[in-house]
Every structure is written in C-alpha cells, then in structure tokens.
Amino acid sequence: MQESFEQQCDFRFLLDIAEGLLLGIDGGGIVRLVNRAGCGLLEGAEEEITGRACLDTFVSDEDRDAFAALLAGTESPGPEGAAHREIAIRTLKGNRRVLAWRRGALPAGGVLLAGRDITGEKEALERLTRAERLLKHVGRLGRIGGWEFNPETRLVDWTDEVYHIYGLPVGTPINIDNSLMYYQPAGRELVARAVRSAIEEGKGFDVEAPFENARGERLWVHAVGSPLISEGRVVRVWGTFQDTTRRRQFEETLRDRETQLARIEEISRIATWTWDIEDDIMEGSEQFYRLLGRDARTLLLDHETFLKIIHPDDREETALLIGQTLEANTPYSNEHRVVLPDGTVRWLHCEGRLTLSASGKPKRLFGTTQDVTDRVIRETERVNYLERVHRQQAALLEIASAGAHGTEEFEDIAGMIAAKAARTLNTERVNVWKLDEAKSSLVCLVHYDLTRDEMGTEDSIEASACPKYFETFKTERSLAVTNTLTDERFSELLDGYLRPRGIGALLDAPIRLDGRLAGMVCFEHVGGPRHWHTDEVDFAADIAEQLALALNRCERRRLEAQVLQSQKLESLGVLAGGIAHDFNNMLMAITGNADLAMQDVEKGHPARECLEDIEVTAQRAAGLCKQMLAYSGKGRFEVQHLDLSDLVREMRGMLDVSLSKKARVQYELASDLPAISADATQVCQVIMNLAVNASEALMDAPGMITFRTYCFSGNAQESAPLDFDGAPVSGPHVCLEVRDTGCGMDEDTRKRLFDPFFTTKFTGRGLGLAAVLGIVRGHSGAIEVASEPGQGTTIRVCFPARGAHTCTPPPVHRDMGGWRGSGTVLLVDDEQIVRTVGSRMLERLGFKVLTAEDGVHAMEVFHAHADEIVLVLLDLTMPRRDGEETFRELRLVAPGVRILMSSGYNEQELIQRFSGQKLVGFIQKPYVLMRLRDKIQAVMEEG
C-alpha cells in the first residue's frame, strides 16, 4: 500500500506547495499522507502525523460523527459535485481549528481530504456579529442610528434605529426630501441648509432641531453629517442621527433647577462653597462671590485669601473655628463680617461639613454662606429699641409717680418733666410752651438746657406768625422733623427762631385739654439733622399727655374724688341693700311669729308683754332696714304728697327731746309750701339725722340750731342751691335748711361728711349722714353743705316741688272683721323661715298652703296643682329663677292666676318693673297677719 501511495504521489512537490491541509487517508482511517502546510496546521512533523488513526487523533468527540460522514462520503454533495463541510479538528498540541473540507476519492482506494483553515474567518465573523448586535443594542439604548445619503439619487439609507426614531417600518424607502418633512419648520430649514452646504461646499454639519415623527411624537433630534469627496466632488454624505429628547429634557430640567437654585440663593442670600484642602482651592456659586463682593472670573480663592476678606476683628476667631473643624471633624458654624471692596461691611453666617480621604485625612470642606446683615441690624436695632423703650417707660413711670403725689405748681412739674425727657432722649434742649389764648401766643414756661443742666427762658411766639405750624397740630399727635432747614411746615420759624439757635431737628407734641390746644412740648436738637425713632415720637406724645395731666391736675383730682365718692356710695349702697334684704327676711320671721303668738295670747298674760317688746324691737329693726334701703337708693316705700313744714312741726316734740339741752332751737317754717312726693318716714329720718348732727356740732357748748323751710322757684334771678357734687338744681324745689353755730368743719371733713361710718365723734355711729344722702338722692333731691372751722355749719336739703299744697291724708284702716279665705295658696320664697311663718299666717286665714324654694320649684308645684291654686304669693329675689322671671312664666301658662308679689324693696319700684304685666298686688316685708289679710282680701275681691 505504501508503494502504491508513493506511486500516486509523484507530484509530491505540487502538494507541498499547495496552501491548506491535504490528508491522504486509507480505507482503515489511517493517515498516509500529509503535505507541508498540513504539518504546520496540525502542529507536528510528517512522521508524527502519518500512521495515526485520523478520527482518534485529530477529531474531538463533538465533531466525530460529522468527520466520519466526511470520510465515508455520506454528506451532502457540494455545488461542484465535491463534498465540502466546516468541521473542527484538534492539533497535536490540543488546539482547536475550524476547516472547510473537500473530499476526493483515490484510485487505489482511500480518500484525499483538502482542508482550508477558516478559524480566523469564523472568529472575525463572530466578532463582527457581536459588534453588529452590540451596535444595534447600543443604538437602541442611546437612540442613535447611522445614515448615508447619495446626492445623485437623493436616496437615503438608514440603520434600523433611524427607522425607529422616525416611527417608520424598517426598510421603508425614503429620500432626503421626505426625511426633511418630519422636522419642525425652523428645524427643517436648518437641516436642509446644512445638507446643501455639505453637498455643495463639502462641509460637515452638526445640528439639533425639533422633530415630529410618523407616530406624532414631538422629539428633539441631533444630526451629524460628513461628506465623502471623490475626484473633487461629494459622492456620499453619511453620519449619525440621534433622539436627544431625553437629554434635552434633562438639560432643561437641570437648567431650570440651576436657575431656581440661583434665584433661591439670590433671594435667600444663601450661597454654596467648597474648599479643596489638599490643593487649597476655594470655589463657590455665583451668589458666593456676590456675597463677597468679588468677581469669580478674577478672584482665585485660597484659605489665606479668604481670611483676608474677613473683617480684622473676626479673622482670628474664624481661623480658630476652621482649625477645630479640621482637627476634630466637627461641623463648622460661624458668623463673621466681611469687608467688601467699597468698604461696606456685611455679616455672613457659614455652615460647613468636612469629608475625609481614604486615609482619614481632611479632604474637602463644603457648606453654605448666608447674608444675615439685615437680621443682625434688626437685632441690634431691637436691642437699641428695647433699651430706649426701657428708659422711656422708666422715665414715664417716674414722671407719672411724681405727678400723682406732687403738690408743686405746673411750672415746677413741667421743669421736672422737661429735664427727665431731655436726658431720656439725649436732646440738647426741651421747651414747654403754654398757649395764651387771649394773646394768641405761645409762652415759654420752661426752657431746659441739657448741656448746661439748667433752666432758662425763651421768648414767646406769636401764633399769627406761624399758621402752618399751628395748622399741623389740629390732627397730629406729634411731629418729628429730621431737618428743619428743608421742612416747609417750619419755614415760618426758620429765620426768627430755629436758625439763630442752631436747631437742626425738632420733635414737637401738642398739649391738649378737652380736645383743644393748650400748649406745646418741643425737643430741640442743636446741630445737623437727626432721625427720630418711632418710639421717640411716641414718647414725646406721652410727655405731652403727662404735661396735660399736670396742667389739668386740680380739675382731674376733683373729678376723681367725685367719681371715687360715687363709687363708694354705690358699692356700699349695694351692700346695704343686700343686708336689708336678708335682714327683712329675718324680721319677717320675728314679726310674723310674734304677731301669730299675740293672736293666741290673751291680754294680761305674762308672755304678752314679752311679745309686745319683741314686736316693738322688730319695728325698730325694720326702721333700720328702711335706712339701709334708703342709703341703697331703694327707700321710697310709701310715697305721699307731704307738706315739709307740717312734717317738721309734727316732729318738734321729738326734736326738742333729742337735741342738746344747751341748744336754743329756732323754727322758721314757711306756710303754703308746694307739696313734695316723699316717704314720710324717710323724710323724718333726714330731719332727725340733721338735727342730731347739728346738736353734736355744738359740742356741749351753748349755741343755736335753726330749722328753716322755704321754696326755691327756679327763677334765674335767684341763687340756686348747689348739690353736693357742685351742680346747681333746676326747677322749683322745697328746701329744708338746718343751721348750727357749732365748731364747723374743714375741707377734708366736708369731703368725707357723707362717707358711711365716718365720724368725728366716736366709732359705731352707723350710716349717719350717708343715709341722708341716699334718701335725698332716692327722692331726686339735692343736698348742699356750707361750713368753715369755727363758723358753724348749714346743711340745705331740697326736694322737687310737686305742684299745689295738697297732702295725702293718712290711710283709713278698714275693719276686716273675721274675714277668711279658702282654696290653696302657693307660697314661693328662698328662705325656709319665711316659708314657715308665711304658711302659718296663710293657714290662720283659712288657706291650704303649698311652698316652693325658688322659681324653678314653683313652676313644678304649680303645674302639679294648677286647678287648686287661687293665689301665688311670690318673692322677688331668689336664686336659679327670680320672681320677675317666674311671674312672666306664670302669666304665660295661666294668664288669670292671681299673683301677690313680696319684697323688702319699695312698691313703686316693683310697679315700674312690672308695668303692663297685670301685677295685682304687692306686700312689703316684713309684714304681719293683719296686713297680709288686708292685701289678700283686696286681691281676692278685685280678682
């Protein structure tokens, strides 16, 4: 066989020069022949290759079946009738190579295999495939594709991604004109011009324009083109086409945010900065350089340069804080001043944080800087303001205290105020002027010079010479003038007053009394202009008000005394009225039970005398209640038309007994006086109290007491009596005058004469003349006191005249016999003892009695027994729901029910309060059985 192969390979030299692998394989699969190129491909010598089984030596397991089919000739025939197939083999060194095989049969048997090494081609093809796949994927991700334009055909070739961007199916024929139609008009012209320039001038282009694809999506696209020139002309233009919408949106968003950040920094005056510690370079935002007053283009900042910008007084502390941050890695926080190139000083607040390198060393300090100048100025101004206001308030408090307790003349008080005000506002001069209305001029009462700390004088100023100045103060509370040389309102005073005295600024405030201009306080600043703070302007107005108070002090104190007196009387009147109300309830129990007991005790019984004493004492206590009610202004119980002279005559016996034995009593009683409407008991109380007061004024010495009555007609020619408050009475009045020749009173005693419990004798005197005042005022009268120490006292009491001389006859008491009632009476009172004695009286009169403790309880009882109740005896003053409210509710639910109102107050007041409300009767506490019987009988008979 070997000889046969050698014979067939006479053209060995031809095989050795053949490219590629040639293998001769016998029928047993043994390699018998290999060419030189094949030895190199199989990485072995010829003797190492021949004689080996081909499948076992050079074919891997995964390729064995394919190679066996190649040897057997069972693979598909090739296009030239020879078999060819790509099958990998394994070299002797174990490397894998891919070959394209052809097979031929040898005449002597066996096969000849020719293999071309395509390993490199396969790898290149794989790399190209991967590159195309990667390019396609990257194009898809980056929305970028490629294109080529043929100027002659005007056709355009696109990659797939360009079709995707255009929204067209891949492979859609397109020319340059159609492709340009998708651009927006402005962009279309721009791209068309760029393409023409590339074709005609051979220039590349790079344009970005708005675009709308076939799907209607609005995009931004970026087209880059480069011409291919051959033989002096452009034969192709190719380039890239990218969807840059997202980038544009991102860039726009980034620009918007940068703009917003810049605006925020500008508005908030906050800037950002970074200090690269290793390279010692400081950089910041535009606002940062603006805060430093420097140009970022010309300023190269490092640590040392930055410290030089800081105010010298803050430089050391700033460097120390930065050093602490670098050493301890603590947050940097500092507030310091910087000096701008024009000398302006600004306050900056800095916050910073430190970052470290991988080795733990300080790497970068970054942070923010904010301009806090306005805040610092505000805080400084606030501190200054608080200090000023504190001084002003302390000064006003001192002035007010001195004015409240001082007794100096107005000029003395004004001098004190002017000096205090000048020191408080640190003003060189303060003048206090008073308006002389008769002369129509401002007269300087006080001129205080702070620099000399002395008082002086100033010339008066004619009002007619400065009408503008005076016109200003018709509405202004104060007037602050920064510069007197330029303010028109002071032009009239400039040459005659301001300029000669060197006054550069003024702060004036009017002194007003009862709304009219009474004077002026002027703060005069000597020198140049001065800015007056708002609190200083208000302080000047407050000083003017203090001066007005001082000027009006006498009148104010008199009015305050009157108000205080009125308030005291009113307060004690309320107290007296409340005591009288409660006292009446207790007297109701005493007199009622005594009266009931006397009904059951026969004359001559030992207990009867005791009961009579109880009744008399209770009546005296009732009189005291009337005094307290009189003082409280609610003492008009039994109003009648009275003749004042007759009333005094009736009391002569009692007066003669009550007065001092050393007193000579004289009566000058007018006849035919007009009647007065009054309660006889109360007027008698007035007469008796005045008589006792006059008697005690004699102090056990001989003297005279005169009682005089007369009528004041109210004519203008007569001298009208004055009330205790100093107001003259108007209209006809009937007057009682009690005059004594006793010790008299000083002014202080006269002022306190009507104070409750005040006396010059001894304590425990009771209400005294205070009750007289209450009675007189309760009768709409007036009382006048004239007295001087050692000159005696005259007290005049006046009551309004009620017409002709007609007096009310005394009431006729009817003999009610044994009258008894029937039915059920609802007794409503908040006092248990009153309900008890009232029930006994009503039962004695033949009634069944239901009781209630207040208005709420009364309505509950009334609803339960409405058909039985013939009369409601209702107290006026009760808790929860009072008598007036209960009365109205009873009228709503039972309009026909009889209601007898009960109270310790007077009937007239009740009639007025219940006017138009069908009040059928009233009984005053304390009452006895006979009076209750009379009232109930009258109500029942009228009903």
Side-chain angles (χ1 to χ4, degrees):
M1 184 65 182
Q2 182 66 36
E3 183 181 354
S4 169
F5 270 95
E6 289 177 354
Q7 291 175 353
Q8 295 180 33
C9 296
D10 290 337
F11 301 101
R12 174 76 185 216
F13 71 96
L14 294 177
L15 296 177
D16 288 340
I17 64 174
E19 294 181 359
L21 171 64
L22 291 177
L23 285 178
I25 301 173
D26 62 15
I30 304 301
V31 178
R32 296 300 181 182
L33 175 66
V34 61
N35 65 343
R36 187 178 302 165
C39 291
L41 182 63
L42 294 176
E43 297 181 314
E46 179 178 357
E47 57 272 17
E48 293 176 318
I49 297 172
T50 56
R52 290 178 177 270
C54 182
L55 289 176
D56 296 337
T57 305
F58 301 106
V59 182
S60 301
D61 291 342
E62 64 266 22
D63 298 317
R64 188 179 184 86
D65 292 340
F67 203 88
L70 176 65
L71 290 176
T74 59
E75 73 281 0
S76 301
E80 300 177 358
H84 65 89
R85 193 165 184 180
E86 295 179 3
I87 302 175
I89 63 172
R90 183 178 58 208
T91 69
L92 291 178
K93 293 182 178 181
N95 295 318
R96 188 173 185 275
R97 310 292 293 179
V98 179
L99 284 76
W101 298 95
R102 290 183 179 274
R103 177 183 179 280
L106 294 175
V111 295
L112 178 65
L113 298 179
R116 182 170 61 86
D117 187 0
I118 61 173
T119 302
E121 295 177 9
K122 293 287 288 185
E123 291 176 352
L125 180 61
E126 288 179 3
R127 286 197 300 271
L128 179 60
T129 301
R130 287 197 302 271
E132 287 179 349
R133 187 166 58 250
L134 179 62
L135 180 62
K136 185 175 181 180
H137 184 64
V138 170
R140 171 67 64 172
L141 291 176
R143 300 283 284 168
I144 185 170
W147 56 272
E148 182 182 75
F149 168 56
N150 187 334
E152 292 183 359
T153 62
R154 299 191 66 79
L155 295 178
V156 182
D157 288 333
W158 289 341
T159 62
D160 292 354
E161 187 58 29
V162 176
Y163 281 104
H164 291 314
I165 296 172
Y166 266 83
L168 296 172
V170 176
T172 302
I174 195 78
N175 58 40
I176 189 65
D177 299 317
N178 291 339
S179 67
L180 292 176
M181 294 304 296
Y182 291 91
Y183 285 92
Q184 298 296 316
R188 186 183 309 150
E189 179 59 29
L190 177 66
V191 176
R193 210 169 35 243
V195 173
R196 284 196 301 271
S197 177
I199 296 173
E200 296 171 0
E201 302 175 21
K203 294 181 178 180
F205 61 84
D206 186 334
V207 296
E208 194 167 10
F211 184 86
E212 184 175 352
N213 65 15
R215 293 189 295 270
E217 298 171 338
R218 292 183 177 273
L219 311 172
W220 275 87
V221 294
H222 181 205
V224 178
S226 177
L228 174 63
I229 301 174
S230 177
E231 298 179 0
R233 66 185 182 87
V234 176
V235 294
R236 292 285 188 281
V237 180
W238 55 49
T240 60
F241 187 77
Q242 184 178 13
D243 179 358
T244 60
T245 305
R246 292 182 180 176
R247 178 179 60 78
R248 291 281 300 202
Q249 291 173 344
F250 176 77
E251 290 174 352
E252 289 178 5
T253 301
L254 183 60
R255 281 194 299 271
D256 290 343
R257 291 182 178 177
E258 289 176 348
T259 302
Q260 291 174 4
L261 180 60
R263 289 178 179 174
I264 291 173
E265 287 188 357
E266 183 177 0
I267 293 172
S268 63
R269 312 195 80 173
I270 297 178
T272 57
W273 51 267
T274 302
W275 176 31
D276 190 324
I277 300 172
E278 295 178 351
D279 297 332
D280 193 16
I281 296 176
M282 291 189 72
E283 294 179 335
S285 63
E286 182 179 348
Q287 179 67 15
F288 177 70
Y289 292 97
R290 189 180 297 118
L291 294 180
L292 298 180
R294 268 68 177 181
D295 189 346
R297 296 170 295 182
T298 59
L299 178 65
L300 181 61
L301 268 182
D302 54 25
H303 182 57
E304 183 179 356
T305 306
F306 175 71
L307 288 177
K308 289 180 179 179
I309 298 174
I310 296 176
H311 193 282
D313 294 343
D314 302 336
R315 196 172 295 159
E316 183 178 351
E317 182 180 2
T318 300
L320 178 63
L321 291 174
I322 292 175
Q324 291 176 352
T325 296
L326 298 182
E327 182 178 353
N329 190 17
T330 56
Y332 172 68
S333 180
N334 186 24
E335 203 162 278
H336 59 76
R337 289 165 289 178
V338 295
V339 182
L340 305 189
D342 61 359
T344 303
V345 176
R346 308 293 294 177
W347 280 91
L348 302 181
H349 179 80
C350 300
E351 294 284 343
R353 295 294 184 272
L354 184 66
T355 58
L356 304 177
S357 65
S359 61
K361 294 182 178 181
K363 180 180 181 181
R364 184 176 292 107
L365 184 65
F366 62 94
T368 61
T369 294
Q370 182 178 14
D371 187 338
V372 294
T373 306
D374 293 341
R375 174 178 61 78
V376 173
I377 292 175
R378 285 196 303 270
E379 289 177 353
T380 304
E381 290 178 347
R382 181 173 177 273
V383 171
N384 295 336
Y385 165 77
L386 292 176
E387 290 177 352
R388 291 196 310 270
V389 170
H390 178 73
R391 290 197 305 271
Q392 294 163 14
Q393 290 177 343
L396 289 172
L397 180 60
E398 183 177 342
I399 290 170
S401 299
H405 303 293
T407 58
E408 305 89 347
E409 296 296 328
F410 174 70
E411 287 79 359
D412 297 332
I413 299 176
M416 179 273 294
I417 292 176
K420 190 67 180 177
R423 288 190 290 269
T424 302
L425 294 192
N426 193 26
T427 305
E428 290 81 357
R429 296 167 22 156
V430 175
N431 291 345
V432 178
W433 306 78
K434 186 176 181 182
L435 180 64
D436 187 339
E437 296 184 4
K439 297 181 180 180
S440 185
S441 63
L442 281 176
V443 179
C444 185
L445 298 181
V446 172
H447 168 77
Y448 177 74
D449 191 317
L450 178 62
T451 56
R452 299 176 182 177
D453 190 22
E454 63 181 19
M455 297 290 176
T457 58
E458 273 290 357
D459 297 332
S460 62
I461 298 176
E462 296 298 324
S464 58
C466 44
K468 291 182 182 178
Y469 177 74
F470 278 91
E471 183 70 21
T472 302
F473 290 103
K474 286 185 177 180
T475 56
E476 296 293 337
R477 184 170 180 256
S478 56
L479 179 62
V481 178
T482 302
N483 190 344
T484 57
L485 301 179
T486 58
D487 197 299
E488 281 296 321
R489 294 169 295 184
F490 287 83
S491 59
E492 302 157 337
L493 298 171
L494 186 59
D495 295 330
Y497 183 83
L498 301 176
R499 202 190 300 271
R501 292 163 176 79
I503 300 172
L506 272 176
L507 176 56
D508 293 358
I511 302 171
R512 290 191 173 91
L513 292 180
D514 299 327
R516 61 180 177 83
L517 184 65
M520 199 79 63
V521 56
C522 300
F523 294 79
E524 300 176 348
H525 171 69
V526 178
R530 169 176 172 172
H531 171 72
W532 303 97
H533 296 282
T534 303
D535 54 274
E536 294 176 327
V537 177
D538 293 338
F539 176 73
D542 292 336
I543 290 295
E545 291 178 359
Q546 290 295 327
L547 288 166
L549 291 174
L551 186 60
N552 200 30
R553 175 174 296 168
C554 294
E555 179 64 20
R556 175 176 58 81
R557 286 185 174 177
R558 186 183 71 81
L559 293 176
E560 285 179 351
Q562 290 179 1
V563 171
L564 180 60
Q565 181 71 5
S566 176
Q567 289 176 342
K568 274 199 302 186
L569 295 178
E570 181 180 353
S571 299
L572 289 170
V574 172
L575 175 62
I579 293 173
H581 174 266
D582 292 340
F583 201 14
N584 265 325
N585 283 333
M586 289 185 283
L587 288 176
M588 176 68 202
I590 296 171
T591 58
N593 281 306
D595 186 46
L596 288 173
M598 288 179 65
Q599 300 293 326
D600 297 332
V601 176
E602 297 179 356
K603 290 183 180 181
H605 194 282
R608 189 168 184 91
E609 184 178 352
C610 296
L611 292 173
E612 289 174 350
D613 288 344
I614 292 173
E615 188 174 27
V616 171
T617 304
Q619 292 300 327
R620 291 179 62 188
L624 180 58
C625 275
K626 288 186 178 181
Q627 286 191 40
M628 289 190 290
L629 288 171
Y631 177 72
S632 68
K634 301 176 180 179
R636 293 173 297 174
F637 297 101
E638 300 290 342
V639 176
Q640 308 172 50
H641 288 307
L642 303 175
D643 186 308
L644 188 57
S645 294
D646 289 346
L647 206 58
V648 176
R649 291 188 189 98
E650 292 176 3
M651 292 185 65
R652 286 188 62 169
M654 187 182 300
L655 292 173
D656 291 341
V657 174
S658 303
L659 300 179
S660 171
K661 302 304 181 183
K662 297 181 181 181
R664 288 190 300 112
V665 183
Q666 182 176 342
Y667 295 94
E668 299 175 2
L669 306 178
S671 59
D672 297 326
L673 287 176
I676 63 172
S677 295
D679 178 83
T681 303
Q682 292 190 52
V683 176
C684 289
Q685 182 69 40
V686 169
I687 297 171
M688 180 59 70
N689 280 4
L690 294 179
V692 171
N693 189 74
S695 177
E696 292 177 347
L698 297 179
M699 302 179 67
D700 292 331
M704 179 175 285
I705 299 174
T706 303
F707 294 89
R708 174 176 173 246
T709 59
Y710 65 94
C711 179
F712 168 70
S713 64
N715 295 330
Q717 292 78 12
E718 299 180 81
S719 177
L722 300 178
D723 192 1
F724 177 70
D725 295 331
V729 300
S730 60
H733 278 70
V734 178
C735 302
L736 166 66
E737 186 177 279
V738 180
R739 183 171 62 249
D740 66 71
T741 59
C743 60
M745 294 177 285
D746 58 18
E747 182 180 359
D748 184 61
T749 303
R750 286 199 307 272
K751 290 180 178 180
R752 301 184 63 191
L753 183 62
F754 295 101
D755 285 1
F757 310 111
F758 170 76
T759 179
T760 58
K761 309 299 187 303
F762 55 88
T763 58
R765 297 290 292 184
L767 293 172
L769 291 180
V772 171
L773 180 62
I775 293 171
V776 172
R777 285 180 169 173
H779 286 78
S780 300
I783 187 167
E784 180 181 8
V785 179
S787 182
E788 294 292 339
Q791 301 298 318
T793 299
T794 300
I795 299 179
R796 186 186 308 174
V797 176
C798 302
F799 298 97
R802 299 302 183 186
H805 181 78
T806 56
C807 298
T808 303
V812 178
H813 294 282
R814 295 179 298 167
D815 184 7
M816 297 301 176
W819 183 89
R820 291 177 61 81
S822 62
T824 300
V825 175
L826 173 59
L827 173 60
V828 186
D829 199 292
D830 60 323
E831 290 288 346
Q832 174 63 45
I833 194 167
V834 175
R835 295 197 299 272
T836 300
V837 70
S839 297
R840 291 171 181 169
M841 289 183 178
L842 291 169
E843 289 171 352
R844 184 68 62 91
L845 294 176
F847 293 102
K848 293 181 180 179
V849 183
L850 298 173
T851 61
E853 61 189 17
D854 55 38
V856 175
H857 188 197
M859 293 309 301
E860 294 173 357
V861 175
F862 185 83
H863 284 300
H865 302 276
D867 295 338
E868 310 169 27
I869 295 173
V870 297
L871 176 69
V872 178
L873 181 54
L874 180 62
D875 186 29
L876 178 63
T877 306
M878 297 181 295
R880 291 213 296 174
R881 185 180 299 167
D882 62 15
E884 185 175 355
E885 188 176 355
T886 307
F887 175 87
R888 288 196 297 268
E889 189 168 351
L890 285 169
R891 281 281 176 255
L892 288 175
V893 299
V897 67
R898 300 178 184 87
I899 302 175
L900 179 61
M901 191 65 69
S902 172
S903 173
Y905 298 135
N906 64 79
E907 182 174 2
Q908 283 69 30
E909 180 182 351
L910 266 294
I911 292 174
Q912 184 178 0
R913 288 175 64 175
F914 288 87
S915 177
Q917 300 187 46
K918 298 181 180 179
L919 180 64
V920 298
F922 170 77
I923 185 168
Q924 185 177 357
K925 295 179 183 178
Y927 49 82
V928 294
L929 180 61
M930 182 177 293
R931 190 174 179 192
L932 178 62
R933 183 189 63 184
D934 293 347
K935 285 289 184 181
I936 294 179
Q937 183 178 4
V939 169
M940 300 299 287
E941 290 177 354
E942 291 176 4

